[in-house]
Amino acid sequence: MSETFDEATTLKRRTFVAASTAVAGLPLLTSDRLPASASASAPTPADQLSTVRLTVNGEQRTAQVDNRTSLLDLLREHLDLPGTKKGCDQGACGACTVLVDDRRVNACLTLAVMHQGARVTTIEGLARGEQLHPLQQAFIDHDGLQCGYCTPGQVMSGVACIAEGHTGSRAEIREWMSGNLCRCGAYTNIVSAIEQTAKEA
C-alpha cells in the first residue's frame, strides 16, 4: 500500500514540476547547463575598488577592497582577523562588535571605506601578550560563556560599556548590553563579569 502511494506521489510531483516548467516556458537548469556568468564571478571593475588604510589593534593596515565590503568582511577576509564573528549579518546579534575610535560598532552594518584612517580594536587587540584584558579574565572567572561564539562581541561591547560609564547597576549593564545576544543564555554571568571589571577599574 505504502509503495503504491509513494510511486503515485512521486509521479504527481514529477508531473507537476514538468507542467509548471512548461507553462512558465523556463528550462530546468542543471549544473552542466548553467551559464558561465553564474558559475564564475566576474572580477570587480577598478572603479569599484578602494584602498582602505586603518590602524587595527595598533598596527597600520592597508587593503584594497570592493567599495561594498563591510568592515566585518575587511577584518575577517582581508586582514586575517577571524576573532570578530559573523552572526546574523544584519546588526541584530552583536557578534561582530568592534571598537572604532573607541566607540562600539556593529562591523557588519558599516562599510570599510567609511572608516579611512580610523582606529579599530578587535578582540585580538585586547590582550597584552599573554596577559588577558581584565574583562576577558572576568569572563573566565564568572563563566560568562558557553559555546563562545558571541563572546568576542560581548567582550568588546562590555569594554565599551565600562568606558562609557554605564555600569551603575546590574539593570543598567543589562540595558546597555542588550544589543548583544547570547543564544546559550549566559547573560547573568556576563553581567557579573562586567560588574566585577568595572569595580576593579
Side-chain angles (χ1 to χ4, degrees), residues 93-110:
C93 73
C96 66
T97 305
V98 297
L99 303 182
V100 178
D101 294 329
D102 298 323
R103 295 182 62 197
R104 49 180 147 176
V105 168
N106 285 341
C108 73
L109 287 185
T110 185

Side-chain angles (χ1 to χ4, degrees), residues 136-198:
Q136 289 176 304
Q137 185 60 55
F139 263 67
I140 296 170
D141 295 342
H142 289 275
D143 198 20
L145 62 152
Q146 289 186 40
C147 80
Y149 195 84
C150 73
T151 305
Q154 297 277 4
V155 170
M156 298 308 298
S157 197
V159 167
C161 185
I162 294 167
E164 293 159 5
H166 298 304
T167 56
S169 67
R170 292 180 68 86
E172 185 178 13
I173 293 170
R174 281 195 297 272
E175 175 67 24
W176 287 90
M177 289 294 294
S178 61
N180 291 76
L181 304 182
C182 173
R183 293 186 67 180
C184 301
Y187 296 113
T188 299
N189 297 352
I190 290 169
V191 171
S192 295
I194 294 170
E195 185 178 45
Q196 172 190 303
T197 306

Side-chain angles (χ1 to χ4, degrees), residues 13 15 18 34 43 51 56 73 76 82 96 104-105 124 128 135 187 189 193:
R13 285 180 186 151
T15 305
L34 285 172
T51 300
V56 182
D73 286 339
R76 290 180 58 84
C96 66
R104 49 180 147 176
V105 168
E124 290 93 342
R128 295 290 173 261
L135 186 55
Y187 296 113
N189 297 352

Side-chain angles (χ1 to χ4, degrees), residues 10-156:
T10 303
L11 181 59
K12 286 179 184 175
R13 285 180 186 151
R14 287 181 185 159
T15 305
F16 173 76
V17 172
S20 300
T21 306
V23 170
L26 300 172
L28 289 173
L29 293 179
T30 57
S31 58
D32 58 339
R33 294 177 62 189
L34 285 172
S37 59
S39 56
S41 57
T44 305
D47 64 348
Q48 294 179 24
L49 296 173
S50 293
T51 300
V52 180
R53 294 178 178 83
L54 303 163
T55 301
V56 182
N57 300 329
E59 181 183 342
Q60 293 285 337
R61 303 294 298 269
T62 302
Q64 189 175 53
V65 297
D66 185 303
N67 293 335
R68 298 163 294 180
T69 302
S70 67
L71 178 58
L72 174 59
D73 286 339
L74 170 69
L75 294 170
R76 290 180 58 84
E77 309 299 333
H78 296 271
L79 301 184
D80 196 27
L81 293 167
T84 304
K85 302 304 181 193
K86 181 176 282 195
C88 66
D89 212 20
Q90 297 176 357
C93 73
C96 66
T97 305
V98 297
L99 303 182
V100 178
D101 294 329
D102 298 323
R103 295 182 62 197
R104 49 180 147 176
V105 168
N106 285 341
C108 73
L109 287 185
T110 185
L111 298 175
V113 294
M114 295 171 62
H115 300 287
Q116 192 73 254
R119 289 179 296 107
V120 178
T121 305
T122 71
I123 191 70
E124 290 93 342
L126 285 187
R128 295 290 173 261
E130 296 296 314
Q131 183 179 357
L132 294 177
H133 184 280
L135 186 55
Q136 289 176 304
Q137 185 60 55
F139 263 67
I140 296 170
D141 295 342
H142 289 275
D143 198 20
L145 62 152
Q146 289 186 40
C147 80
Y149 195 84
C150 73
T151 305
Q154 297 277 4
V155 170
M156 298 308 298

